Amino acid sequence: MDTSVFTNSDWAAWFANESKKDYFSTLSVLVDNERKRYNIFPKEEDVFTAFRLCGFHQTKVVIIGQDPYHGQGQAHGLSFSVRSGVRLPPSLQNIFKEIASDLNIPVSSCGDLSSWAKQGVMLLNSILTVRENSPASHKNIGWNYFTDSAIRYLSYYKEHLVFILWGAFAQSKRSFIDTSKHCIIASAHPSPLSAYQGFFSSRPFSRTNEYLRQNNIAEIDWSLPNSR
């Protein structure tokens, strides 16, 4: 795997320790071998985009997803995000609907959430790779050790983060978060199967900004380029 993103990054100390663990070398070999046999998403250079765009010291908000989109051209290393010009997946459409309702921001047709990441929103999938057209195909190869460690590291060394946990899978990470110094905003997942069971009207975006404001932290501009 291409881990050069961590060089000269403020994630470097954490990664240096994590990459020495036995599971990581096994994981690296597994992913490299999978790429020789299958189409694997995202591209190798995009696997760690969440860490590249959102530095450790910069992080204010963490949105946890499960695994990357498994369709051609969709995944680019940020949970829930797709590249500009790619058709919006249903969950992302519902996220934008909730933003519109919550903050009165017009629904965007651009699914690239990089601007959020650059403001300090860590868009972290628990599983960082997937086979084409095979959701959760890399669920049990070791990525959870890597991303769970990142969540623990953020929780331990930072204060006043907002962790947005949509759905049961993301909420299973709650035990890694110190709720005495961080805010958790949890609701149903934005997928069409569950969005009407507690995601819509949950107001995660305004609630996040309210918490940041109360702690004298700059708020997130949740609008996207073509919705301004």
Side-chain angles (χ1 to χ4, degrees):
M1 292 191 292
D2 181 3
T3 61
S4 60
V5 65
F6 295 103
T7 305
N8 299 322
S9 162
D10 61 0
W11 285 101
W14 168 78
F15 179 74
N17 179 66
E18 205 64 24
S19 62
K20 294 174 184 174
K21 297 179 181 178
D22 291 343
Y23 86 84
F24 190 81
S25 58
T26 302
L27 171 64
S28 298
V29 171
L30 282 169
V31 173
D32 289 344
N33 286 340
E34 282 278 291
R35 288 194 185 279
K36 295 173 184 176
R37 300 179 60 194
Y38 306 99
N39 284 335
I40 301 299
F41 302 135
K43 295 177 180 178
E44 184 174 10
E45 61 268 26
D46 292 331
V47 169
F48 300 111
T49 297
F51 296 89
R52 177 173 60 82
L53 293 185
C54 187
F56 171 77
H57 294 298
Q58 177 192 15
T59 302
K60 307 173 186 178
V61 181
V62 183
I63 300 180
I64 299 174
Q66 186 162 351
D67 67 337
Y69 296 120
H70 54 86
Q72 186 72 41
Q74 293 181 303
H76 66 126
L78 301 175
S79 61
F80 296 100
S81 179
V82 292
R83 293 190 184 281
S84 180
V86 174
R87 183 178 179 180
L88 300 184
S91 291
L92 188 54
Q93 292 182 39
N94 287 338
I95 289 169
F96 287 167
K97 289 177 183 177
E98 179 61 17
I99 290 175
S101 172
D102 187 10
L103 298 174
N104 197 30
I105 293 173
V107 173
S108 177
S109 60
C110 173
D112 188 342
L113 307 181
S114 296
S115 64
W116 294 1
K118 292 173 183 177
Q119 294 179 72
V121 181
M122 185 75 174
L123 295 159
L124 183 65
N125 277 318
S126 179
I127 306 156
L128 296 186
T129 54
V130 69
R131 289 182 193 171
E132 183 176 15
N133 298 325
S134 186
S137 49
H138 284 182
K139 181 179 180 180
N140 297 315
I141 67 172
W143 278 123
N144 56 303
Y145 300 120
F146 186 80
T147 53
D148 288 353
S149 174
I151 295 168
R152 289 191 185 97
Y153 188 75
L154 285 162
S155 176
Y156 186 82
Y157 286 104
K158 292 188 70 74
E159 294 185 351
H160 306 310
L161 295 178
V162 180
F163 288 86
I164 298 178
L165 310 180
W166 290 325
F169 180 84
Q171 289 168 33
S172 72
K173 309 299 181 181
R174 184 188 292 262
S175 62
F176 306 142
I177 302 165
D178 183 347
T179 55
S180 71
K181 60 176 182 172
H182 302 297
C183 173
I184 290 180
I185 297 176
S187 75
H189 195 277
S191 78
L193 296 175
S194 58
Y196 287 97
Q197 299 174 21
F199 172 74
F200 287 134
S201 300
S202 62
R203 301 176 53 247
F205 307 101
S206 62
R207 289 165 64 193
T208 293
N209 279 351
E210 175 63 21
Y211 179 82
L212 295 175
R213 186 164 56 248
Q214 289 174 355
N215 288 283
N216 299 312
I217 300 169
E219 299 174 33
I220 304 298
D221 178 2
W222 296 104
S223 63
L224 293 166
N226 74 331
S227 63
R228 290 186 174 128

